Structure formats: structure tokens, C-alpha cells
Amino acid sequence: MLPNTGKLAGCTVFITGASRGIGKAIALKAAKDGANIVIAAKTAQAHPKLAGTIYSAAEEIKAAGGKALPCVVDVRDEQQISSAVEKAVEKFGGIDILVNNASAISLTNTLETPTKKVDLMMNVNTRGTYLTSKACIPYLKKSKIAHILNLSPPLNLNPLWFKQHCAYTIAKYGMSLCVLGMAEEFKGEIAVNALWPKTAIHTAAMDMLGGSGIESQCRKVDIIADAAYCIFKKPKSFTGNFIIDENILKEEGIKNFDVYAITPGHPLLPDFFLDEQPVIVTKKPETHELKEEEAQPSPKPRSGAVEGTFRIVKDSLSDDVVKATQAIYQFELSGEDGGTWFLDLKSKGGNVGYGEPSDRADVVMSMSTDDFVKMFSGKLKPTIAFISGRLKIKGNMALAIKLEKLMNQMNARL
């Protein structure tokens, strides 16, 4: 990991969403240099499920060697942003660096994203980033360092990243478009860049998205903090860049990335918006696949790898498994040996079969037959399939995670 060199001593860093996770990690890295940190976040009182408040973060920042100013800021509220900026300037004399880290996420498709969630993501991610930048820019212009850093992805127009979670993608890309526009608008005055992880980062949000056990596929927040620190050391002329954490650290001479892994040596989950899996990106369009299926006159056979997988699953069922799960799963499988299948883990002893279940499914999973077989045999992690768009889930996510645990128990037999 990168050593601190004291280059941010006396600098004022304004960070949204800094009470926990990536925002706090960046704050603590800068604090070790003796920086002044403005913690602009919502959490003033402890959350029952999420550790950390702006006040506990402030104590950690002081302990690390920095100065802290905790401010209650919901980036959807322009007045709260303005008030925090005024307090920061009054206390520390100015603002040198802005980190737009606050973000909201919902990995749901168009019809399943409530308007309330759409508004939340647009207002926190895009509008919040824009308004916080606007409030800080007059003071950043006066700084010798002058950096805006948005935690947002490179602008990748591969339709894959829009298909599964269109609203979230638009909201995150809005942050990236701020980089594109503001870097050009304030060229020579303020460096404006984006930073994004190559792999999943272990945060409370990732725990909620991926469930228990996801951490072994993630890196620590430290890698983002170290990458951000590298960017802050760059001159104002370093602007308009969409930086991947691993790439900039390699440029700094870092070779051993195991130090950033939660579980060194374990395969890592690629993050969103990066085309790291060409097999997914270059697959034939779905319309072409449908035409091929329509051209087959005979009905889909109920034999082969999928049928064999379900047979083994059925042999693995027990009253204990049913009692522990209490869910009905429906699988919509495309390709050879596909169709609708079900796994009933509510009825006594459990049941599997071709067609729709007798009772309404709690979870509906859509994927290719190949990926279905790979998932049940342990060759494809459901979390990776879901995040990369190969697996689509409707219904109760907690019950979907229960099925992943069940798959892990069956892997040896499959």
C-alpha cells in the first residue's frame, strides 16, 4: 500500500458520504497527512444496521492526525450543501479538494424501479454531484491544488450496462458527464476527474447487494483511498480522466495487489461498467437467438444437462432443506434444453419439475441453460452472473441469496 508523504497537510478536503465506506477511507488517508476533512453526510445518529456517523468518523479522522468538521448534509438539499461549504470556508479558510462520493443504488429494471427510487438515484448521484461541485467551485478556483474527484465510472455505452438497471446507469453516468463537462469548463483552474474500481469493493452496500460471503470476492476500501491520494498529488493539468484504481496504482509502482484483497488469492468480482468479460459482451443479440429458437419446429426437449441437474437437485432435497428455505423458485431458461422449470422448497420434502409451479414463485430467475448448469455446479458464482447481467432476478432477493447457499451445498454432487 502507498505510504503517506504529508503532501496534503493543511489542505481542506470536502467529502460527501464520508461517514463510512469509501468516503471515510479517503478521509482517513488524507487525515494521516494532517489534512482538514469536511464530513458532509446524512448520518448524524447511528443506523441500526450500518456502523458509523459523521461524529464517529470525525473522531477517527482526528485520531489519524487530521482536523474534522462534521456537517449534516443530504446532497439532495441545496441549502444543506451551501451551509456546509460556508462552515468549511469559515473554519478552514477555503476548500482545496472536493470528493463527490455520495451515491444511491437500485439494481432494478425499468418496470420494477419505483419512481421514488428513480428520483433518489437521479437526485443523489447526478444532481447532488452537480450542486455540490457548483457550491465548491468558487473556492476551489482560489486553491493551488484544486481537485474535484467523482466516484463514477468511465462512460461505457455497451447496452449491457443499461439493460439490467437503466435508471442506476443513467444516474451514475450523470456523475461522469459532470467530469466531462467541468474538466473542459474549468481547464487550467481545477482538475476534474473520475475514479472507479476494477473489482468490487467491500462496503455495507456490497453486503446488501451480494449477501453474506460476498466479501471474499472483494477488495478493501483502502485501494480506492490510495488511488484517490495518487490523483490528489497530480497537477491541475491532470484533468478529464476516467481512472481505474488498479491502473493508476500500477503507474505508481504497486505490484502486489493481494494486500488489498479481503481474501488474498480468491477470485475477485469485476465491478460494473467495465467490459472485463468479453464472452458476455460479444454474445449474439437476443433477437437473433429468438429467431433461431423460433425456427426449430420441435418443442424443447426435457432432457440433457438441465434435466440432469434438476434430477440431482431433487435427490438432494430433504425436509430440513425445505424447512430452512421456505421458498418457491421459477427458472426461465433460454437456449437448448430451456423453458420454464421450478424448484419448490415449501412443500413437504420439496419438489422440482418442468413447467410453472402450482403456487406462485417467490423468486423468478432468467438465464441461459449453460449458465444455469454452471451455477449449480459451482463454475459460475450467482453474484457474478447477476452483476454482469447474465442472471436476471425478480422477486425476493433475500430468498435468492438463500438459494445460493443451497447451491454451495450441492456443488460437490454436481
Side-chain angles (χ1 to χ4, degrees), residues 5-13 30-36 65 96 145 229:
T5 54
K7 290 193 175 181
L8 300 182
C11 291
T12 298
V13 188
K32 288 176 185 174
D33 273 12
N36 310 316
D96 300 289
I145 295 165
Y229 188 79

Side-chain angles (χ1 to χ4, degrees), residues 298-368:
S298 57
K300 294 170 191 171
R302 295 195 292 274
S303 60
V306 173
E307 194 274 339
T309 300
F310 273 112
R311 193 170 56 245
I312 295 169
V313 170
K314 188 172 185 177
D315 291 343
S316 305
L317 298 183
S318 67
D319 286 335
D320 288 341
V321 168
V322 171
K323 189 177 179 182
T325 313
Q326 286 296 294
I328 296 175
Y329 302 93
Q330 184 173 319
F331 302 91
E332 298 294 341
L333 306 180
S334 59
E336 190 179 350
D337 196 20
T340 300
W341 297 75
F342 71 88
L343 170 58
D344 181 350
L345 296 178
K346 273 186 179 174
S347 305
K348 184 174 172 62
N351 193 20
V352 305
Y354 184 79
E356 294 189 6
S358 54
D359 290 327
R360 186 180 175 184
D362 299 288
V363 181
V364 179
M365 296 184 168
S366 305
M367 71 202 90
S368 72

Side-chain angles (χ1 to χ4, degrees), residues 190-213:
I190 305 167
V192 187
N193 296 288
L195 175 61
W196 195 247
K198 183 172 183 178
T199 73
I201 302 298
H202 185 229
T203 61
M206 185 53 71
D207 276 338
M208 285 190 283
L209 289 172
S212 61

Side-chain angles (χ1 to χ4, degrees), residues 385-405:
F386 178 67
I387 287 181
S388 63
R390 293 161 79 171
L391 166 63
K392 191 174 175 182
I393 300 174
K394 290 182 182 178
N396 189 316
M397 285 300 291
L399 293 176
I401 291 163
K402 271 193 177 184
L403 182 63
E404 180 170 4
K405 291 177 182 176

Side-chain angles (χ1 to χ4, degrees), residues 105-135:
I105 182 170
S106 180
L107 298 178
T108 44
N109 64 31
T110 301
L111 297 179
E112 292 173 346
T113 310
T115 303
K116 189 177 177 181
K117 281 281 175 70
V118 176
D119 290 344
L120 176 69
M121 290 189 283
M122 300 300 173
N123 288 336
V124 171
N125 301 357
T126 301
R127 184 174 178 272
T129 293
Y130 185 90
L131 292 181
T132 308
S133 300
K134 183 182 176 185

Side-chain angles (χ1 to χ4, degrees), residues 51-367:
T53 67
I54 56 173
Y55 305 111
S56 62
E59 292 306 313
E60 289 183 60
I61 286 161
K62 290 172 189 172
K67 292 179 181 175
L69 176 63
C71 297
V72 176
V73 176
D74 181 337
V75 294
R76 293 173 291 178
D77 188 323
E78 188 175 13
Q79 187 53 52
Q80 288 184 17
I81 296 169
S82 299
S83 176
V85 168
E86 286 170 15
K87 286 176 186 173
V89 173
E90 186 181 333
K91 184 173 177 70
F92 299 126
I95 296 171
D96 300 289
I97 296 169
L98 165 63
V99 180
N100 285 305
N101 167 69
S103 190
I105 182 170
S106 180
L107 298 178
T108 44
N109 64 31
T110 301
L111 297 179
E112 292 173 346
T113 310
T115 303
K116 189 177 177 181
K117 281 281 175 70
V118 176
D119 290 344
L120 176 69
M121 290 189 283
M122 300 300 173
N123 288 336
V124 171
N125 301 357
T126 301
R127 184 174 178 272
T129 293
Y130 185 90
L131 292 181
T132 308
S133 300
K134 183 182 176 185
C136 290
I137 283 167
Y139 304 101
L140 290 166
K141 280 184 168 189
K142 299 173 186 176
S143 170
K144 291 180 181 177
I145 295 165
H147 273 272
I148 295 175
L149 182 64
N150 293 355
L151 272 295
S152 66
L155 290 162
N156 181 353
L157 296 184
N158 182 341
L160 172 75
W161 301 116
F162 292 84
K163 177 185 173 184
Q164 303 296 341
H165 36 73
C166 190
Y168 173 64
T169 299
I170 292 170
K172 286 306 286 187
Y173 281 15
M175 296 174 71
S176 300
L177 288 169
C178 286
V179 170
L180 201 64
M182 292 177 189
E184 196 66 23
E185 185 177 358
F186 302 106
K187 189 175 277 187
E189 296 180 290
I190 305 167
V192 187
N193 296 288
L195 175 61
W196 195 247
K198 183 172 183 178
T199 73
I201 302 298
H202 185 229
T203 61
M206 185 53 71
D207 276 338
M208 285 190 283
L209 289 172
S212 61
I214 190 71
E215 64 275 4
S216 62
Q217 302 171 57
C218 300
R219 282 175 170 162
K220 301 170 187 172
V221 289
D222 300 0
I223 191 167
I224 296 287
D226 282 1
Y229 188 79
C230 290
I231 295 164
F232 300 153
K233 293 190 296 178
K234 301 273 188 186
K236 291 180 188 179
S237 56
F238 183 79
T239 192
N241 300 290
F242 293 90
I243 301 142
I244 303 301
D245 56 357
E246 188 175 298
N247 296 349
I248 195 166
L249 291 171
K250 280 180 179 174
E251 289 173 14
E252 292 284 323
I254 297 286
K255 293 176 182 175
N256 176 21
F257 286 88
D258 271 354
V259 295
Y260 294 115
I262 298 287
T263 308
H266 197 284
L268 295 166
L269 193 62
D271 212 300
F272 298 95
F273 310 115
L274 305 178
D275 293 344
E276 294 295 323
Q277 297 180 331
V279 66
I280 305 161
V281 174
T282 59
K283 72 178 182 181
K284 293 174 185 175
E286 284 195 13
T287 50
H288 185 61
E289 288 174 3
L290 285 170
K291 284 177 185 173
E292 285 183 352
E293 286 174 13
E294 286 163 5
Q296 296 173 1
S298 57
K300 294 170 191 171
R302 295 195 292 274
S303 60
V306 173
E307 194 274 339
T309 300
F310 273 112
R311 193 170 56 245
I312 295 169
V313 170
K314 188 172 185 177
D315 291 343
S316 305
L317 298 183
S318 67
D319 286 335
D320 288 341
V321 168
V322 171
K323 189 177 179 182
T325 313
Q326 286 296 294
I328 296 175
Y329 302 93
Q330 184 173 319
F331 302 91
E332 298 294 341
L333 306 180
S334 59
E336 190 179 350
D337 196 20
T340 300
W341 297 75
F342 71 88
L343 170 58
D344 181 350
L345 296 178
K346 273 186 179 174
S347 305
K348 184 174 172 62
N351 193 20
V352 305
Y354 184 79
E356 294 189 6
S358 54
D359 290 327
R360 186 180 175 184
D362 299 288
V363 181
V364 179
M365 296 184 168
S366 305
M367 71 202 90

